[in-house]
Structures are given as structure tokens and as C-alpha cells.
Amino acid sequence: MSIRPIDVAHTDGGPQWVEAVATPSGVEVWWDEPRPHEGGRRCVVRRLPDGSRTDALPPGWNARNRVIEYGGRSWRPLPGGGLVFTNWADQRLYRLDPAPLTGPGVPVPITPEGPARYADLYLPPGRNEVWAVRETGDVRDLVAVPLDGGPVTVIVKAQHFLMNPRISPDGRHVAWIGWDHPNMPWDGTELCVAPLREDGTAGEYRVVAGGPEESVAQAEWRDDAALYAVTDPTGWWNVHLVHLDGSPSRNLTPMELEFGAAAWKPGMTYLAIADTGELAVVYGTPDHRRLGVLDPETGELREIGGPATYWSSTVSVAGGKVAAVGATPYTPLEVSLVDLEEGGAREIVSPPKPLPDRDLLPTPEAVTIEGVHAHLYPPSGVQGPGPYVIFVHGGPTGNLPIVLDLEIAYFTSRGIGVAVVNYGGSTGYGRAYRERLRHQWGVVDVQDCARVARGLVELGRADAAKIAIRGGSAGGWTTVAALVHSDVFAGGVAHYAITDPESWAAETHDFESRYLDGLVGPLPETRDRYTERSPLLNAYRASGPCLMLHGLEDAIVDVGQAERFTAELDKHGKQWALLTYPGEQHGWRREETIVAVLEAELAFYGLLFGMETPEVPPLTLKGRA
């Protein structure tokens, strides 16, 4: 038996945002989840204290947005069971009140038609409005939108990028996090505080934490005089207490563990404040990310996550319960309720997903090979050296944790091993490891993947002639860069890949338009690096065939990147295939696409490794064999 593509589609993705709400009858939990079988929409779900669940969003509505193209926090529950959310189709904000006896009512728009997008929604206590980051073209501001409709008030116009709007307990100040080009939010951000005027707009602000080389990832008011901030002046995202009177901030978690992550999506949360004053926190490494409770007075940190070995970047507290999203190597990301004081066993509140037999799932092993972090997933039924695929994460400022991933199991259950490489530049291991990639993109990532591949051969696990590499987005870049700048890989699969850095920097969206300043170097001063590292300009050196997969609505990496690269491969007699998917953006969301992509990838490995793959449609490579 093997994992089926449809099994992968049904467990692809996971809950993204979670919120606990205290009610007289107990704690409600809200979350959003992917629905690949419903066109890839994200549906908000509400779980009542009695354990019953209901979709809080009617069919046909999709709680997503395109702020900085990756989207951000897209909904918040309203008192009484209502909902405010961003809708994918028109990017407007909507209010949804429950209809008596029949569940969700009819969403009503509360923002005007137009090009504006909204994200990182926040409900300031005591105000009948929702705060959000508004993006109009390449301009962003923090706005207040009346929940009953009406004129939108601009609260803050400051840095080029904004997130994390928060009102002080007395309602007199607003805090936010901002940054400017060429920084990315994991490079350097500023935690700002400004007085709120009577008209709801912010006065002159001051920076209370952060800077060009310090990344503040989240901030929450402790009281009117101080904030808790997840920031990294020590090189690790720790929890700090930041005072507004100018006195020195205090690191509450002085340890070499990450209590934050890269802010790819505005609205992620790594800490939440309980009524007791304690902080629920997620922290650790990609090998083991924990859920804990921090006493900010004593510094005591208690782990409460029970058997889950990974907790994602969303946490909420209400009524003595912590709502978060946890997983293990054998169970998917699931919305869980954990008792704040007792911890331990978690109550799974999201609906169970059908899982394959445990015998079909690989047992992961966290290893370090020549200083490179990796997770190994052995192939099923293979004795001795076997075929392996190096999995490369996107970002590149990101990581792949140890959680149940049926995409990996799809291949391992068919006798193909997988090695996930968290190369230099990955998050979760401190700033120094992250900055190994500074000005070295296309060099360090390629070298690290090659090191792990060679290490697998030396360990007797991999057949040196049967090692492939694959990845998506920035991982797709590393895939094609490894094909043209090393001789280790027999072939590669690149999902929505960057293939030429200079043209991508010119054509991509605003958020990442200066990303390459730090990854490669500023233009035009370092153009030689771009030329030397460009897979497009070095396609003639490809060590093996390449399968390119791309969505036709991708606004982050245009399909032209794949088209130009395969044209160069063809020009130089290299083997290739390019498959495109209408209706897909930067990543696969639709059930039929997820199935088709997996089948094509398996067919490619069948050709590459000399394996029979009769269960999937055949794939034809163009170019000379």
C-alpha cells in the first residue's frame, strides 16, 4: 500500500489563525482551515463550549486577502457569534451576523469597492470598529473601519510596511510595528508608540524598541506603561518587557531558543496574555517547537504542550484555556485546547482528518551534517542505498519543521527517501544561522543541500546516482541553482520557481522587491553576482532534467520565469517539462491541482530513477536524452 495523492490533498495545509473566546457557558474556539475540495477557499469554523462545530462562513466565501501578496490575519470573531473578515474575491472587509436558528447570515460589506486590501485585523476593546493594515497599491496605513459601515479613519501613516496595531488599555495610545525598504521584517523593524487624538488619529510617534538590525515580531500591551515584545537584540527572538519611560528593557526569556519567527504574514502571534498575567508562548526550533506558559515576574517557563512536538505561530488565551495549533510526526496540525495551569493532555477541537495506516508513515530523524540542519525520512521497503529527494523550503527565510507531511509520505511509501534541508538562512536557529545566507543566496543554500546529499551517500543511505532535488518558490530557485551550479543531483522539480534574480527583482511585488539586496546584493553595484548565480544564464550547465510547475495567476513569481528557463534548457539540448495550472497562485490550493502536481512529480522520479509508476499518468520530457 502507498499514500494516495487524494490523501495528500485532503490533509494539505492546516489551520492558520486561532482565537479563544470566553463565554458564560465556557470557551469557544474559532479558526480557519483550508478547503481544497471547495475550490481552495479558507473557511472560518466556530466550536462551541458543548463541542459542536459549525462553519461560521457560508459556502462561496473565502476568508483570505492579498496584502503583501502572502496575506495576513483575515478575520476576527465578534461578540454574539458574528464575524468580520476579508473576502478573497474583492478584498473588501465584510461583517457577518448570525441568522437566528439557521447559522451564518449574509455578509455585508463595510468597506467601499476599490483597489484597497485589508489584513492583520484587530478589534480594539470598547470601540465599535475593526483596525487593519490597509494596502492600496504600494501604500500602506493603519485604519479604523466602523463595524456598522461608514467613513474609514486613517490612524497611522508611517513606515512603508506596517503590522501589529494595538491600543493601550486606557485607550490613549496606539502601538504598531513598521519597517522600510530595503529591510525585510526579519532584518529590522521598529516598535512604535503614539498618542491617540480625539478624532482617532495618531499623533507624533516614537520608537521604543527595534531598529535596522533588530527584528520586533510581535508586541502586546502589559499595561499603559509597558509592552511585551518578541524581539532579537541578542540574536534570538526572545520575549522582552519594554518600558515607555525609557528605562532599559528586560529579556524575560534569555535563552538560545526562538520565541518568534519571520513575519511573512502580518498577524502571526507567538504570545498571548492570560487574565492571570501569565503569557502563553510558542518557542523552540524546527526540530521541536513547544507550547508553554511564562511567568513574567519570575521567568519560570512551563511546557504545557503534551505530546505535540510542534506548535505553529498562532496562540490565544481565554477562560483559563490556551488555543493553539499543534502537530506530531504522525498527526497533522490540529486546533487544540490546553489548560493554562495543568497543561499536558490537549483537547482536539478541529474535526479529525482521515489518516493512513501508521505503517505507511516514515519516522523522521533530526540530524546535523557538516553544520547543516536536516530531517531524514527513510524510504519504505528499501535495504541499503536507495533513491532520495532533497526537499528545499521556500522563503528562503523560513524552515520546514518535523510534522506529519503526507506529501513526504507519498514518496517514502513508494521507496523514495526524503531529506528536508534547513540550509543556512533558515529560521528557527538564531540570527547568526539565518544570516549565513546574507549576500550568499545561490551559494550557501546550494552548498548546504549538496553537503546533505553527499552525507547521505557517505552514511550508506542514498545511491549517489539517484539523488534529486525539489522545492517551491525560493526552494525552486535553490533547486534550479543546484542543477546548474553542482554535479550532485540527477534532476530537479521546481514549483513556481525563481530562475533569474535580476528580472525577478524588477517584476515582483513591492514586499519582496528589495529582498535581494540582502540575499545577493544591491543593484547595480553587484550585478556580476546576479549574472554568475542566475540559473537562467547558466542553464547550459544543468546536471540533469528539470520539471517546472507553475500557477498562471502567480503574482509573486511570474510564469515567465519558468518559460524562459525551459526555453534555455531546450536551446542547450537539456531535458525538461513545464506544466502550468490555471486558477492557481503562488502555491497549490485546489484539490485537483494538488493531485495533478504530485502525480507529475512521481512520474518524473520514475523516469529519473528507473522506477515503474503505473499508477500515475506518464510524463514526457522534451529535449535530448
Side-chain angles (χ1 to χ4, degrees):
M1 291 183 62
S2 302
I3 304 294
R4 302 174 303 164
I6 197 68
D7 298 328
V8 181
H10 286 168
T11 59
D12 188 64
Q16 188 161 254
W17 318 111
V18 66
E19 186 148 351
V21 178
T23 73
S25 55
V27 175
E28 290 185 3
V29 184
W30 296 63
W31 68 91
D32 68 292
E33 62 186 31
R35 297 282 175 87
H37 57 289
E38 296 179 23
R41 78 173 181 126
R42 293 200 74 90
C43 183
V44 181
V45 182
R46 178 188 184 190
R47 193 260 199 180
L48 299 176
D50 64 7
S52 60
R53 290 184 294 264
T54 183
D55 286 357
L57 201 61
W61 295 84
N62 186 357
R64 286 180 62 202
N65 57 71
R66 296 187 66 161
V67 168
I68 65 169
E69 293 301 340
Y70 292 100
R73 176 77 192 233
S74 57
W75 57 269
R76 288 282 184 177
L78 298 174
L83 181 71
V84 59
F85 69 98
T86 62
N87 184 47
W88 175 256
D90 58 8
Q91 297 295 304
R92 298 170 74 183
L93 272 171
Y94 284 79
R95 175 173 178 161
L96 176 62
D97 292 319
L101 305 179
T102 60
V106 178
V108 176
I110 57 173
T111 53
E113 293 181 346
R117 307 167 177 179
Y118 303 84
D120 203 357
L121 307 191
Y122 167 71
L123 296 175
R127 295 175 177 240
N128 188 40
E129 59 192 23
V130 57
W131 288 7
V133 176
R134 181 178 65 178
E135 179 180 82
T136 309
D138 293 342
V139 176
R140 291 158 202 91
D141 43 28
L142 298 181
V143 298
V145 180
L147 290 171
D148 296 329
V152 174
T153 299
V154 176
I155 307 169
V156 171
K157 290 184 71 71
Q159 295 91 342
H160 193 64
F161 298 98
L162 305 163
M163 66 179 184
N164 197 98
R166 298 292 189 270
I167 195 169
S168 60
D170 64 5
R172 297 174 60 188
H173 289 83
V174 56
W176 70 91
I177 295 168
W179 69 98
D180 290 299
H181 283 316
N183 269 353
M184 299 299 286
W186 42 87
D187 296 326
T189 61
E190 296 174 328
L191 174 57
C192 303
V193 173
L196 273 176
R197 304 186 182 103
E198 289 187 6
D199 64 359
T201 63
E204 184 176 354
Y205 72 87
R206 57 194 177 103
V207 177
V208 298
E213 297 181 355
E214 179 183 339
S215 168
V216 185
Q218 183 191 353
E220 305 291 342
W221 290 94
R222 184 193 70 170
D223 52 36
D224 295 326
L227 298 104
Y228 295 116
V230 178
T231 185
D232 71 342
T234 64
W236 296 84
W237 274 305
N238 289 165
V239 182
H240 292 248
L241 181 62
V242 177
H243 300 279
L244 299 190
D245 63 5
S247 57
S249 64
R250 180 162 61 96
N251 189 347
L252 305 180
T253 56
M255 57 190 76
E256 293 187 349
L257 289 173
E258 299 281 42
F259 287 73
W264 283 98
K265 293 176 178 285
M268 295 192 295
T269 52
Y270 321 99
L271 68 82
I273 305 174
D275 292 339
T276 60
E278 297 171 300
L279 308 181
V281 292
V282 290
Y283 64 101
T285 72
D287 304 340
H288 188 181
R289 200 177 192 210
R290 300 166 172 87
L291 177 68
V293 176
L294 172 68
D295 185 327
E297 299 302 322
T298 66
E300 179 189 4
L301 180 62
R302 296 183 289 111
E303 186 175 356
I304 63 170
T309 55
Y310 180 82
W311 295 88
S312 61
S313 298
T314 181
V315 61
S316 180
V317 180
K321 301 287 187 180
V322 181
V325 178
T328 76
Y330 311 106
T331 56
L333 291 165
E334 297 171 303
V335 181
S336 308
L337 263 185
V338 181
D339 189 271
L340 183 70
E341 297 304 322
E342 297 181 7
R346 59 184 179 133
E347 178 186 1
I348 308 298
V349 300
S350 52
K353 293 183 177 180
L355 296 177
D357 292 341
R358 172 69 181 273
D359 293 344
L360 295 176
L361 303 178
T363 297
E365 177 186 358
V367 300
T368 303
I369 297 176
E370 295 185 35
V372 182
H373 298 285
H375 305 146
L376 307 184
Y377 296 82
S380 176
V382 176
Q383 300 298 321
Y388 259 81
V389 178
I390 301 295
F391 270 43
V392 191
H393 65 73
T397 312
N399 65 62
L400 284 174
I402 295 180
V403 297
L404 175 66
D405 187 335
L406 289 191
E407 186 174 50
I408 290 174
Y410 176 74
F411 296 112
T412 59
S413 68
R414 288 171 167 78
I416 301 172
V418 169
V420 169
V421 179
N422 284 327
Y423 50 87
S426 301
T427 57
Y429 306 101
R431 182 180 279 260
Y433 191 78
R434 201 163 74 237
E435 293 199 342
R436 282 188 58 221
L437 201 61
R438 187 161 187 83
H439 296 161
Q440 295 297 314
W441 195 42
V443 179
V444 164
D445 48 330
V446 169
Q447 292 173 347
D448 283 1
C449 289
R451 284 191 181 100
V452 171
R454 286 192 293 263
L456 291 173
V457 174
E458 293 171 3
L459 291 170
R461 299 195 181 193
D463 181 337
K466 295 182 177 180
I467 302 178
I469 185 169
R470 64 93 77 176
S473 190
W477 151 272
T478 302
T479 294
V480 293
L483 284 182
V484 304
H485 293 305
S486 78
D487 58 2
V488 175
F489 302 103
V493 179
H495 301 241
Y496 34 91
I498 299 165
T499 64
D500 182 59
E502 185 169 356
S503 63
W504 177 76
E507 68 193 17
T508 193
H509 61 132
D510 186 41
F511 175 61
E512 293 183 273
S513 63
R514 301 292 300 277
Y515 196 5
L516 297 193
D517 283 31
L519 291 175
V520 181
L523 286 168
E525 300 93 319
T526 60
R527 178 164 284 120
D528 287 350
R529 294 180 196 166
Y530 287 75
T531 302
E532 292 167 3
R533 299 178 196 176
S534 169
L536 175 69
L537 301 180
N538 293 276
Y540 67 94
R541 302 174 57 183
S543 61
C546 185
L547 170 62
M548 307 289 289
L549 306 157
H550 220 104
L552 292 179
E553 296 182 8
D554 194 334
I556 294 172
V557 179
D558 187 80
V559 68
Q561 291 276 323
E563 293 169 341
R564 292 190 291 271
F565 182 67
T566 52
E568 282 297 304
L569 290 176
D570 194 69
K571 175 181 174 182
H572 295 287
K574 303 295 183 178
Q575 288 189 292
W576 60 276
L578 170 60
L579 303 177
T580 58
Y581 301 91
E584 291 286 6
Q585 296 94 43
H586 198 64
W588 316 125
R589 293 183 178 274
R590 299 182 177 187
E591 181 179 286
E592 61 271 23
T593 306
I594 295 168
V595 170
V597 163
L598 280 172
E599 290 180 338
E601 190 166 346
L602 179 61
F604 178 81
Y605 296 141
L607 295 173
L608 202 64
F609 300 147
M611 300 171 62
E612 297 291 330
T613 57
E615 70 271 38
V616 300
L619 177 72
T620 300
L621 296 177
K622 299 180 181 180
R624 295 193 298 270

